[in-house]
Amino acid sequence: MKEDFFKYQAPTTPFAPGLEIDSASGNYITDIAGKKYLDMVAGVSALPLGHCHPKIIAAVKTQLDRYMHVMVYGEYSQQPAVELCKLLASTMPAPLEMTYLVNSGTEAIEASIKLARTVTQRSEIIAMKNCYHGNTLGSLSLMDYEERKAPFRPLLPDVNHIQFNCLPDLNKITERTAAVIMETIQGGAGFIMPDERWFNALREKCTATGSLLILDEIQPGVGRTGTMWHFQQYGIVPDVVVSGKGLAGGLPIGSLTASAAHLNHFKTSPMLGHITTFGGNPVIASAALATLKAVVEDGYMERMKMMELRFRESLLSKNIVQVRGTGLMLAAILPDAKYTAAIVDRCREKGVIFFLLLFEKRAIRITPPYTVTMDEIDHACNILKETIAEFYN
Ligand SMILES: Cc1ncc(COP(=O)(O)O)c(C=O)c1O
């Protein structure tokens, strides 16, 4: 299978390990040789409840027996999508009451850029330096990493950047600005948390200039930081919340939630202002409903702080210079970037899966399923520390 993987499946990097997967269940992945791996990555934050959670499987199976796809997004009233949008509204402050469902995070970002432009009749989008919002042309335009953008230019015009957590940079937001977009924890940049004063000042500046504040919760959202959405820990009400990744428990989804006044623009200005065939797909929506309900009802968010503390204790080591992030969105920062990839590879050989971050090359990604146990946390951290020591001692 590995040979065909490299021969027929288009690659993203020359370094893919090509681990040959047989099955995955709970917090473990099993390869075709029967070797089990403890998963500390959760499909890059896309599996809040781990692999094949019985509640998600049951919801999907029930829906598969009813109907799979009957019509493009937004034409017919299909119970799973309607219920999901209603449930999402109940997790957010007013006036965030209406949700548009799409198929991936980057698509939701694209839709939010279009929404900001049609609502404000302005074109400038301000994004953060070191941001990541996805890889389609619009989302890529938001990035400030020229090396990755240059081969694909020309990209969206009128995108400007400010420094995350920099108060003076807020002056660059003006009445020309359609929207400011930010991750509520900068992921690729190294799990950088927003400073509370800056975040509040940003909200005020957006209100003063009439610019929409779009929060990308694609990675921190769905309970990963101890509240359903990370922005809730800052007492801020954004104009648009974008979700994806873990929202459907391991199936492809994206969403943007805003006020009805804003989202109704897609209906009239122009009509069919944003359309998609599979957005709101009933099978995916059923999986998302089961995921959201389980995250709330099974008490994961209440345990998030405790699990974070266990990681922080277990990661204490002279070779880990910092642990960034919060909840189960953590990054162990190494002294330098020399061995990060080799350490991840070696841990995988030892049966524990960690991963890298896009831009912060000293970081080991730790974003396990919420179902991770204390013993599994200790085991994973011991393997990581022991492996780091092989390279640094
Ligand atoms: C913060 C953030 N925004 C957007 C995206 C893009 O989502 P997708 O890969 O589903 O298009 C990601 C994916 O890694 C992300 O982490």
Side-chain angles (χ1 to χ4, degrees), residues 205-254:
K205 186 74 183 181
C206 287
T207 305
T209 54
S211 318
L212 301 194
L213 177 59
I214 302 171
L215 296 186
D216 182 340
E217 287 272 1
I218 288 170
Q219 185 159 207
V222 193
R224 187 162 283 283
T225 71
T227 45
M228 186 55 82
W229 310 106
H230 188 59
F231 74 81
Q232 292 171 313
Q233 296 174 28
Y234 294 79
I236 276 169
V237 181
D239 297 291
V240 183
V241 177
V242 182
S243 180
K245 277 199 186 280
L247 180 58
L251 290 177
I253 193 166

Side-chain angles (χ1 to χ4, degrees), residues 44-45 103-109 131-136 139 182-188 216-220 242-245 252-254 329 358 365:
V44 186
S45 304
N103 312 285
S104 64
T106 194
E107 257 183 86
I109 295 290
C131 69
Y132 182 75
H133 296 289
N135 243 274
T136 48
S139 302
M182 62 171 270
E183 297 157 87
T184 53
I185 297 177
Q186 281 207 303
D216 182 340
E217 287 272 1
I218 288 170
Q219 185 159 207
V242 182
S243 180
K245 277 199 186 280
I253 193 166
M329 185 172 167
L358 266 180
R365 163 188 284 275

Side-chain angles (χ1 to χ4, degrees), residues 15-271:
F15 311 111
L19 185 66
E20 295 174 286
I21 305 303
D22 175 68
S23 59
S25 175
N27 304 328
Y28 292 86
I29 297 172
T30 306
D31 73 12
I32 56 171
K35 181 172 171 181
K36 275 178 96 178
Y37 300 82
L38 175 58
D39 187 0
M40 288 289 126
V41 177
V44 186
S45 304
L47 298 157
L49 305 179
H51 298 272
C52 300
H53 191 282
K55 288 187 179 177
I56 302 178
I57 299 289
V60 165
K61 283 186 172 163
T62 304
Q63 185 56 40
L64 281 173
D65 285 335
R66 290 179 71 202
Y67 55 96
M68 278 167 60
H69 173 75
V70 290
M71 193 41 166
V72 295
Y73 176 85
E75 294 291 326
Y76 295 170
S77 170
Q78 301 175 48
Q79 187 207 345
V82 176
E83 255 189 65
L84 174 59
C85 293
K86 190 172 171 190
L87 185 58
L88 281 168
S90 76
T91 69
M92 305 223 189
L96 301 166
E97 62 200 331
M98 199 179 248
T99 295
Y100 195 116
L101 296 168
V102 292
N103 312 285
S104 64
T106 194
E107 257 183 86
I109 295 290
E110 298 280 339
S112 71
I113 296 171
K114 287 169 69 182
L115 185 69
R117 286 189 164 183
T118 175
V119 165
T120 62
Q121 297 291 298
R122 306 172 185 174
S123 68
E124 184 192 43
I125 306 289
I126 292 190
M128 302 297 142
K129 290 183 181 154
N130 287 324
C131 69
Y132 182 75
H133 296 289
N135 243 274
T136 48
L137 286 176
S139 302
L140 183 66
S141 306
L142 302 177
M143 217 190 260
D144 76 321
Y145 194 176
E146 193 49 35
E147 202 180 303
R148 290 191 180 226
K149 288 169 76 167
F152 306 109
R153 286 192 178 282
L155 293 169
L156 269 192
D158 220 0
V159 174
N160 292 307
H161 293 95
I162 62 175
Q163 190 75 43
F164 199 74
N165 283 339
C166 174
L167 274 170
D169 265 15
L170 297 183
N171 290 327
K172 294 178 185 162
I173 303 165
T174 69
E175 286 174 4
R176 277 195 61 250
T177 310
V180 178
I181 181 162
M182 62 171 270
E183 297 157 87
T184 53
I185 297 177
Q186 281 207 303
F191 290 12
I192 314 286
M193 308 273 285
D195 167 69
E196 188 156 358
R197 199 167 136 234
W198 174 80
F199 203 178
N200 278 278
L202 169 61
R203 171 66 275 183
E204 281 168 25
K205 186 74 183 181
C206 287
T207 305
T209 54
S211 318
L212 301 194
L213 177 59
I214 302 171
L215 296 186
D216 182 340
E217 287 272 1
I218 288 170
Q219 185 159 207
V222 193
R224 187 162 283 283
T225 71
T227 45
M228 186 55 82
W229 310 106
H230 188 59
F231 74 81
Q232 292 171 313
Q233 296 174 28
Y234 294 79
I236 276 169
V237 181
D239 297 291
V240 183
V241 177
V242 182
S243 180
K245 277 199 186 280
L247 180 58
L251 290 177
I253 193 166
S255 71
L256 60 154
T257 304
S259 68
H262 285 163
L263 275 169
N264 274 324
H265 277 256
F266 282 149
K267 182 168 68 178
T268 51
S269 14
M271 189 174 81

